[in-house]
Amino acid sequence: MSKHDELLTVRQVLDELGGVSRRTFYRWREIGKAPHGIRLPNGELRIYRSELNIWLESLREVA
């Protein structure tokens, strides 16, 4: 993760994934199958773009 790594909202991540539902994304998080994220002090979740890219690459390698 670089110093200038972009923090994505859950909505942005869902859009990048092509329409995965919020419910599905949070279910993936519950079972440990989603990209790592951080919780902001206001309770909102953010995903680093680099973490999303690493996660997507890991899915490609499995497929």
Side-chain angles (χ1 to χ4, degrees), residues 1-3 5-8 14 19 21-23 27 34 38 40-41 43-44 49-50 55-57 59-63:
M1 152 178 31
S2 81
K3 190 163 86 169
D5 202 355
E6 180 182 11
L7 281 172
L8 303 172
L14 297 177
S21 74
R22 183 175 292 269
R23 177 175 169 79
R27 193 169 343 134
I38 62 168
L40 299 178
E44 292 182 12
R49 178 167 294 284
S50 61
W55 179 75
L56 288 171
E57 187 60 33
L59 294 178
R60 185 182 329 216
E61 290 171 3
V62 171

Side-chain angles (χ1 to χ4, degrees), residues 27-41:
R27 193 169 343 134
W28 288 347
R29 281 188 47 83
E30 287 175 13
I31 63 173
K33 300 290 184 182
H36 297 285
I38 62 168
R39 231 350 108 225
L40 299 178

